[in-house]
Amino acid sequence: MTSFWRSHKRRENDLDDEIRAHLDMATRDRIARGESPENAARAARREFGDVVTVREVTGDMWSGQSFARIAQDVRWAVRSLRRAPGFTIVAILTLALGIGANTAIFSVVNGVLLEPLPFPQSHQLVYITSQFPTLGFDQFPVDAAEYLELRERNRSFQDVGAYVTSAVNIGAEGHPARVTSAIVTASLFPTLGVAPRLGRTFTPEEMLPNAAAVAVLSSELWQSAFAGDRGIIGRQIDVDGAKTTVVGIMPPGFDVHDQNVKIWLPLTLDPAQRQQFRGGHFLLLVGRLAPNLTLARAKAELQTLLAQWPAIDGNDPNAGPGAPGFVHTPNTTKHRLRYDDLQKDMVGSIGTALVVLQAAVALVLLIACANMANLLLMRAETRHKELAVRAALGAGRTRLMRQFVAESLVLSVTGAAAGLALAYWGLHALVAANAGSIPRAASVTLDAPVLVFTLVLAIGTGLLFSLAPLLHLSANSIGLALRDAGSRTTAGAARNRVRRGLVIAEMAFAVMLVVGAGLLLRSFWNLMRVDSGFDRAKLTTFGVVLPASTYRDSTRRVAFFNNLTSQLAAVPGVRSVAAMSGLPPLRQVNANDTGIEGFVPTPNGPAQNVDYYQYVTPNYVQTMGIPVVAGRAFGPSDGPLSTPVAMINQTMAKVFYGKSDPIGRRVQPGGSKTWFTIIGVLKDVKQGGVDSRTGTELYFDYEQTPASLGFAPRNMNVIIRSSLEPATIAGTVRRTVGALDPTLPIVQFRSMDEVFSDSVSRPRFLAQLLGIFAAVALALAAIGTYGVLAYSVAVRRRELGIRMALGSSQKGLLQLVLGQGMGLAALGLIAGLLGALAVTRLASSLLFGVKPADPLTFGGVALFMLLVAFLACLVPARRATHVDPLVALRAE
Amino acid sequence: MPLSRIELLQGTLDMIVLQSLRWGPRHGYGLVQMIRTNSRGVLQVDTGSLYPALHRLEREGSIDASWEVSENRQRVRVYRLTPFGRKRLAAERSRWEQLSDAIAGIFTPPLQEET
C-alpha cells in the first residue's frame, strides 16, 4: 500500500511538472512572437484553461486502484464541501444530532440489555422468587424453609444462594454511615461464581446461631471507609453497634441484582430449625443451572417438585390463619416458586422503554437523512453545470457517482465524530440525572461495541442519503445539463417527486414521535396528579434506624421516637411531627397473614392477608393530613397499656367488611395472640406506587406495640409538617438527633414532594427524553418542509411571474404555494397518525391513565403539526407573492 | 470559426493524437502546435481534453512516455507510439474512413435515386 501510495504521489508531481512545462513553452513562444512577458504568461494560462480541473481529470485516468481513488475522492469531497461552508455546517450539525442521539441511546441499550452480567457463565443464573396467585402477588420473597427444601431436593441447579438486602450503620472511624447491606447464605458467592479479591467469604458454620459476627466488604466501601487498608482482614469494625470481624473484600463492581451492596453479612439459618421459618417470606434466591441445562428444563422439574411438596412437609395447603397446620407450603395452586432469567429480571420493565427510545432516535435519524437527501439533491441541482463540465472532460458516470458518495460519507463520518462528542456529554448528563431509574447504570459506557455501532451508523446513513443525488445522474440529465437548467425537464419532475416524498416521510416520522411524546407526557401528568391520599405539600421526611444491639428493649425505641418527635415539634415554625414505619409511595408489600374476626372466607374471595402494616406515632393522621373517613384517629386516650387499637384504610374496609361498619370489629396479626379493635377508617394512601392499586392497610399505634405485640420496629420515618423549607430545618434535625444519640446517621432527608417525584423518575425521564427527541424531529421536519417549498418557489419564479403577468392576484399565488405545501404536510400527517396508531399500542405498558389511541393527544398533535407546517410554508409562500414578473421573466 | 471542441472529444481526439505521434515522439505542447498547424488552424485542441487523453492512452498502452530535456533545456514529458498504438491507430483509421465515406455518401447521393 505505501509503495503504491508513493507511486501515486510521484505521478501527481509529474503531472504538475508536465503542465508547468507546457505553460512555460507556450509563454516562451508568445514572447518570441513579440508579446510582453506578463501578457504572454497570462494568455498562455488562459489558453490552457482551468489548471486545477485539467490536473484532476487527467490524474483520474490513473486512479484505477481503489485506495488512491478513495483518497482522491475524499480530498475532492473535502474541497468541494469547503467551498459551501453554510451547507456543510448545517449538514454536519443535523447528522451530529441524529447520530449522537442514536449513539447515546444505544450505549444504554447495550449496557443494560445486551451486555451479559459480570458473572462467569451468567446465562446459567436464575432468579428464584415465589408467587401467591390468590393474593395477587406475582413475585414475592421465598421463606427460609422453602429455600432449604429447594436446595436439598432440586436436581437442576449446581447450587442455590439466598440473600436479603437491608441497610446497616457502619462505625467507620469517626462518623456513622448508613450503607446498603446484604444478608446472604454462604452458598451465594460460589453460586454467583465470584471469589473475593482478599481474604475469604463465609463458611456454613458462620450461618449457625451464636457464631461469631463476620462481614465481607465491597471494594468500594473498603476504599471509601477504610482507605483500602489490606490489614483490615481479621480486624473488627462496628456494624449496627456490634463488633464484627472483616474476613474478606469482594472485587470491584461485585453486586447482586443491582442493589449497590456495600457490606455482606451471613444469614443465620440453622437447618435443624427449618419448620419455624415457614411463612416468613423475606429471601431472594439465585440458582446456577447445571451445565447444559436450560431454564425450561428447570421449570419442568419445578412442577414435579411443587406437586410433591405438601406431602413431604405434611402441611395442609388450604388451611387458613389460626387453623392447625396453617402455613404456606409450596404447591401447584396457592403458593409456588417462580424461575426467571436473572438478567431479564434485573432489566425488568425498562426493556420496553429502551426499545421505544431507540426507535424514537432511529426516527430522528431517518428524518435527518431525509433532510440531508433533500439538501444534497438541491445542491446537486445548483451544481448542474459543474457536473456537466466534469462529465464532458471525461470524468465517467461512476466517477461522479463515487464523488457523490464520498461527499456524503465525509459528511456523515464528520457528523458521527461530532455526534460521538455529543453522546459522550449527553450520556453523562443522562446517567447522572437518572441514577436510580436506569438499572446496571455502571455498565453504560461508550465502549467498543458502541463505537462500532456508531461507525456502521455513519457509513449506513452516508450511503442512504447519497442515494438522492445519485438519482440525478440518470443518463439524459447530464447530457442535457449544458443547455438546460434541469428543472423543467422530465428528470426534474422525477426529482420533484422524490423531494415531495421525502417531505411527506419526514412529516410522518415527526408526527409519530410527537404523538409518542404527547402520550408519555400525558401519562406523566396523570401520575403527578394521582391523589396520594394525604397532603404532600410542606412535609419533610427523614429516616432513622435504631441499631438492634443498643436498642434491644423495644420500649427504649418508643421512648427515643417520643423524645425526638416532641423535641422537633417544639421548634418554631414546625406545626406537627410524627413517625411511621413505612414511607409511601414505594413500599414493598408486606402481605401479613391477619385474622379478621367474623370474616367468612369464600373460595374465590379475599384471603385473610393485609398488604401493608403501618406502625405510627399518635400525631400521624394530623401530621400527614389524612382525612378520617369513619370513627376516630389514635389519640391521647390510647396509652401504651390501654386496649390495643387499630385503624384501617378504605380499601381494607371495603375488602373485608363490605357495606357493614368495621368500627369496633377486631383483627389479629398472624402469629400473635392479641386482638386489636378497629377505631377508625382512613382515606387510602398510595403505599405501593402511584400507578398501582391501593392495597389493604392496617395501622398500629407505635406506643402500644411493645406491650401488645412484644416488639417495635427499629426503622422509622419521621415526618415534619412545617412552613419552613427542608434545607432550613436540616441543621435543627441533625442537632436534635445527635443530642439524643450521636451514633445515629440520618438518612434520606427530603421533602415529601421530592419523595413522590423520585418515585416517578423513570416515567419522567422517558417523557423528557422522548419530548426532546420529538422536538428535534419537529424542528428538522419543519426545516425540511420549508427548504423544499422555498426551493420550489425559487425554481418556479418564471412560472409564478407569468401567472402574475397574466393577472393572478397575490392572494391567488399565496394560496397556490400554501396549498402545495399544506398538501404535502397533510399527507405526511395522515401517514404519521396511522403509523402512530399502529405502534403506540406496542408501548401501552408505559402509559398511565391514557389510551394508546387517545383522541385528545392525536387531535392535539394533528392541529399542532398543521400549525407548524403552516408556519414553515408561509415564508416561501409570501416570497412567491413578491415575485416581480419582469425580473422573473428576464432572469432565464 | 474552428470546429466545436465537443466534436473533437474522445474517439476522434485519440485518433488524431495517435496519428500525430506517427511522425515521431512529441510532448503535449508540441502536439497542440502540430495539430493546429497540420489542420491549417481548424482544430484547436483543448488542453483539458488533450492531457486526459494522453494519460488514458498511456495507461492502456497505446503510447509510452518518458522524461527528456528539450533543446531549450526544459524537462519535458515526451510521448511515443507503441506497437499496440500502431494497431489501434490502424483500426481507428479504418473506422474513421468508413464513417467519413458514409457521411460523404449522404451528402453526394448516387444520381439514379434522385430521379
Side-chain angles (χ1 to χ4, degrees):
Chain A
M1 177 104 82
T2 48
S3 79
F4 174 78
W5 182 245
R6 229 175 292 129
S7 86
H8 170 77
K9 207 71 213 160
R10 198 189 57 226
R11 197 169 287 124
E12 291 222 317
N13 291 336
D14 279 1
L15 188 52
D16 286 340
D17 289 350
E18 188 174 6
I19 290 171
R20 203 172 309 122
H22 183 116
L23 289 169
D24 284 352
M25 286 186 282
T27 311
R28 217 176 355 250
D29 279 358
R30 284 174 180 271
I31 292 172
R33 267 181 261 139
E35 292 183 31
S36 75
E38 305 91 75
N39 280 347
R42 210 176 306 127
R45 205 165 264 278
R46 198 180 325 116
E47 192 185 48
F48 189 89
D50 181 9
V51 174
V52 175
T53 312
V54 171
R55 229 194 70 171
E56 232 172 68
V57 176
T58 308
D60 269 8
M61 299 303 152
W62 289 105
S63 51
Q65 285 79 0
S66 50
F67 181 73
R69 219 191 253 213
I70 289 169
Q72 206 177 18
D73 287 341
V74 167
R75 257 175 304 144
W76 181 85
V78 170
R79 230 185 350 251
S80 85
L81 287 173
R82 274 221 196 114
R83 281 199 290 263
F87 161 81
T88 306
I89 287 169
V90 168
I92 287 176
L93 281 182
T94 305
L95 286 166
L97 223 53
I99 294 179
N102 274 276
T103 300
I105 296 300
F106 179 74
S107 43
V108 179
V109 168
N110 181 52
V112 175
L113 299 182
L114 303 182
E115 268 178 26
L117 296 176
F119 302 111
Q121 307 288 311
S122 64
H123 63 276
Q124 292 178 337
L125 296 177
V126 177
Y127 188 55
I128 304 168
T129 49
S130 77
Q131 289 179 306
F132 289 86
T134 50
L135 298 180
F137 302 143
D138 204 34
Q139 202 169 26
F140 205 73
V142 173
D143 76 28
E146 289 162 11
Y147 162 66
L148 291 170
E149 285 157 0
L150 176 72
R151 189 159 180 249
E152 280 160 22
R153 296 171 52 217
N154 87 83
R155 293 281 162 273
S156 301
F157 297 108
Q158 300 175 44
D159 204 346
V160 183
Y163 68 92
V164 53
T165 53
S166 171
V168 290
N169 299 345
I170 302 257
E173 260 105 86
H175 341 265
R178 189 155 180 81
V179 297
T180 309
S181 61
I183 298 165
V184 305
T185 60
S187 58
L188 183 72
F189 300 100
T191 302
L192 292 173
V194 179
R197 68 185 280 184
L198 266 187
R200 59 173 178 88
T201 55
F202 306 129
T203 63
E205 291 70 42
E206 282 163 340
M207 294 173 61
L208 295 175
N210 305 320
V214 289
V216 168
L217 305 183
S218 73
S219 275
E220 293 75 21
L221 182 65
W222 180 49
Q223 293 294 346
S224 66
F226 304 102
D229 174 13
R230 300 176 76 89
I232 191 82
I233 304 291
R235 250 193 8 231
Q236 286 194 326
I237 61 169
D238 189 324
V239 178
D240 261 353
K243 294 275 168 246
T244 306
T245 308
V246 176
V247 296
I249 311 287
M250 293 311 286
F254 177 75
D255 198 2
V256 64
H257 216 285
D258 219 18
Q259 298 287 309
N260 207 5
V261 173
K262 294 283 186 279
I263 183 166
W264 308 80
L265 303 166
L267 174 72
T268 301
L269 184 58
D270 183 359
Q273 319 254 307
R274 178 164 62 99
Q275 283 300 346
Q276 82 177 50
F277 300 127
R278 205 172 286 285
H281 291 258
F282 66 99
L283 290 175
L284 298 165
L285 273 44
V286 177
R288 181 176 283 277
L289 287 171
N292 304 322
L293 202 74
T294 61
L295 184 56
R297 287 273 303 281
K299 282 180 176 169
E301 191 211 10
L302 177 63
Q303 289 310 311
T304 327
L305 289 180
L306 287 174
Q308 297 164 352
W309 222 307
I312 285 169
D313 82 5
N315 289 311
D316 172 11
N318 294 313
F326 164 73
V327 277
H328 295 289
T329 293
N331 58 73
T332 49
T333 53
K334 291 200 168 168
H335 175 45
R336 49 188 185 228
L337 299 187
R338 160 181 176 155
Y339 293 171
D340 292 278
D341 180 84
L342 181 63
Q343 178 161 3
K344 282 209 184 99
D345 190 85
M346 273 176 72
V347 167
S349 59
I350 202 167
T352 319
L354 288 180
V355 169
V356 165
L357 285 176
Q358 188 75 71
V361 287
L363 284 183
V364 171
L365 188 60
L366 280 178
I367 296 174
C369 276
N371 258 4
M372 286 301 305
N374 254 329
L375 279 174
L376 285 174
L377 196 55
M378 288 178 212
R379 183 167 145 77
E381 263 157 50
T382 54
R383 292 194 309 178
H384 222 85
K385 280 246 161 69
E386 176 200 338
L387 297 175
V389 168
R390 295 180 72 86
L393 287 181
R397 275 217 297 145
T398 36
R399 179 78 212 281
L400 289 182
M401 230 177 250
R402 282 204 335 262
Q403 284 175 343
F404 274 124
V405 173
E407 202 177 273
S408 300
L409 285 180
V410 165
L411 283 175
S412 69
V413 170
T414 317
L420 216 51
L422 206 66
Y424 179 79
W425 169 82
L427 207 56
H428 273 257
L430 197 128
V431 171
N434 301 283
S437 57
I438 303 177
R440 306 186 64 198
S443 53
V444 175
T445 49
L446 289 178
D447 51 9
V450 176
L451 294 180
V452 169
F453 171 84
T454 307
L455 189 67
V456 170
L457 207 59
I459 294 173
T461 49
L463 291 179
L464 187 64
F465 61 68
S466 69
L467 286 179
L470 288 186
L471 288 172
H472 203 81
L473 290 170
S474 57
N476 56 343
S477 81
I478 285 186
L480 291 168
L482 278 175
R483 267 157 280 151
D484 191 279
S487 48
R488 273 170 285 139
T489 63
T490 42
R495 286 195 293 278
N496 279 337
R497 264 201 304 282
V498 171
R499 258 201 302 272
R500 295 203 178 118
L502 286 171
V503 167
I504 293 173
E506 271 183 63
M507 199 69 184
F509 292 150
V511 166
M512 287 169 69
L513 270 180
V514 176
V515 166
L519 289 174
L520 284 177
L521 278 172
R522 285 207 60 194
S523 299
F524 179 65
W525 176 243
N526 288 341
L527 282 174
M528 289 306 283
R529 279 191 326 169
V530 166
D531 183 1
S532 50
F534 64 96
D535 181 9
R536 257 149 48 190
K538 302 198 182 303
L539 210 53
T540 303
T541 173
F542 63 92
V544 174
V545 182
L546 303 175
S549 51
T550 40
Y551 291 83
R552 199 166 295 281
D553 180 5
S554 50
T555 54
R556 277 201 64 199
R557 304 176 190 171
V558 172
F560 173 86
F561 283 106
N562 271 345
N563 284 338
L564 180 60
T565 51
S566 55
Q567 285 181 22
L568 288 176
V571 172
V574 172
R575 275 203 281 148
S576 169
V577 182
M580 59 188 177
S581 59
L583 180 69
L586 285 186
R587 288 181 66 184
Q588 294 288 331
V589 169
N590 320 124
N592 306 287
D593 292 318
T594 308
I596 312 275
E597 195 179 36
F599 180 74
V600 185
T602 51
N604 295 317
Q608 296 188 53
N609 189 289
V610 173
D611 294 326
Y612 301 100
Y613 277 7
Q614 176 77 295
Y615 304 90
V616 301
T617 62
N619 270 341
Y620 169 78
V621 170
Q622 171 199 342
T623 311
M624 285 284 274
I626 304 173
V628 178
V629 179
R632 62 174 181 87
F634 296 146
S637 58
D638 309 306
L641 300 173
S642 52
T643 320
V645 287
M647 299 184 293
I648 61 176
N649 71 349
Q650 283 174 296
T651 301
M652 181 160 170
K654 199 158 62 208
V655 167
F656 294 114
Y657 302 99
K659 291 198 167 27
S660 61
D661 184 8
I663 307 293
R665 309 280 283 271
R666 299 198 306 166
V667 292
Q668 184 187 46
S672 153
K673 297 268 171 283
T674 313
W675 287 95
F676 289 76
T677 306
I678 296 171
I679 55 162
V681 179
L682 302 186
K683 183 172 169 182
D684 283 344
V685 171
K686 285 286 181 189
Q687 297 284 4
V690 287
D691 55 345
S692 309
R693 74 185 173 99
T694 308
T696 50
E697 186 170 11
L698 182 55
Y699 294 91
F700 299 98
D701 187 336
Y702 190 60
E703 283 187 313
Q704 289 188 336
T705 49
S708 61
L709 292 170
F711 84 101
R714 295 183 293 121
N715 185 348
M716 295 292 279
N717 299 284
V718 178
I719 37 172
I720 304 171
R721 184 166 294 281
S722 164
S723 50
L724 303 174
E725 287 300 310
T728 322
I729 36 180
T732 316
V733 166
R734 227 165 280 283
R735 274 194 302 281
T736 313
V737 173
L740 286 169
D741 184 342
T743 69
L744 292 179
I746 289 168
V747 294
Q748 298 194 308
F749 186 95
R750 292 176 293 176
S751 77
M752 198 58 104
D753 273 333
E754 258 177 274
V755 175
F756 266 73
S757 153
D758 285 354
S759 80
V760 290
S761 64
R762 188 181 289 175
R764 181 181 47 217
F765 145 74
L766 247 185
Q768 275 173 350
L769 272 189
L770 210 62
I772 291 171
F773 297 149
V776 171
L778 191 62
L780 288 177
I783 292 170
T785 310
Y786 163 82
V788 166
L789 214 61
Y791 181 80
S792 114
V793 167
V795 299
R796 284 171 70 195
R797 273 170 43 144
R798 189 184 154 90
E799 175 210 325
L800 295 170
I802 293 175
R803 282 176 187 270
M804 198 163 259
L806 291 178
S808 266
S809 65
Q810 289 207 339
K811 200 174 147 215
L813 285 187
L814 190 73
Q815 278 171 352
L816 181 81
V817 177
L818 266 183
Q820 188 199 344
M822 293 307 284
L824 293 183
L827 281 177
L829 181 62
I830 291 167
L833 290 177
L834 290 177
L837 211 55
V839 297
T840 49
R841 259 183 314 115
L842 305 177
S844 57
S845 67
L846 301 174
L847 302 181
F848 177 76
V850 54
K851 292 250 168 2
D854 179 44
L856 201 65
T857 308
F858 275 72
V861 168
L863 278 180
F864 179 64
M865 293 302 281
L866 284 177
L867 182 70
V868 170
F870 180 76
L871 291 177
C873 296
L874 196 60
V875 180
R878 287 181 63 88
R879 197 172 302 150
T881 64
H882 296 131
V883 169
D884 180 341
L886 280 177
V887 175
L889 290 173
R890 218 177 277 138
E892 306 222 352
Chain B
M1 184 185 156
L3 291 176
S4 149
R5 313 177 253 180
I6 289 173
E7 284 171 76
L8 258 185
L9 275 174
Q10 302 209 355
T12 329
L13 180 61
D14 287 1
M15 184 181 67
I16 292 172
V17 168
L18 292 173
Q19 173 65 27
S20 305
L21 287 176
R22 269 193 67 181
W23 315 120
R26 218 160 277 268
H27 48 66
Y29 180 68
L31 277 171
V32 175
Q33 303 296 90
M34 182 180 181
I35 292 168
R36 188 188 296 154
T37 316
N38 290 356
S39 69
R40 289 171 293 277
V42 172
L43 298 181
Q44 294 271 2
V45 180
D46 184 54
T47 47
S49 311
L50 179 70
Y51 282 103
L54 282 172
H55 285 246
R56 189 177 57 244
L57 289 169
E58 181 189 349
R59 193 177 165 209
E60 72 182 32
S62 297
I63 57 178
D64 239 346
S66 58
W67 284 98
E68 284 168 21
V69 177
S70 73
E71 57 271 33
N72 295 320
R73 309 191 142 270
Q74 173 111 36
R75 207 170 146 264
V76 289
R77 200 159 193 253
V78 172
Y79 298 89
R80 58 175 54 80
L81 210 54
T82 64
F84 175 75
R86 256 171 234 287
K87 262 182 246 159
R88 236 204 96 185
L89 175 60
E92 293 273 338
R93 185 169 179 159
S94 83
R95 203 177 309 138
W96 172 256
E97 276 162 4
Q98 277 177 1
L99 181 67
S100 120
D101 281 353
I103 291 172
I106 289 168
F107 282 110
T108 53
L111 279 174
Q112 60 267 34
E113 289 206 5
E114 216 172 8
T115 49

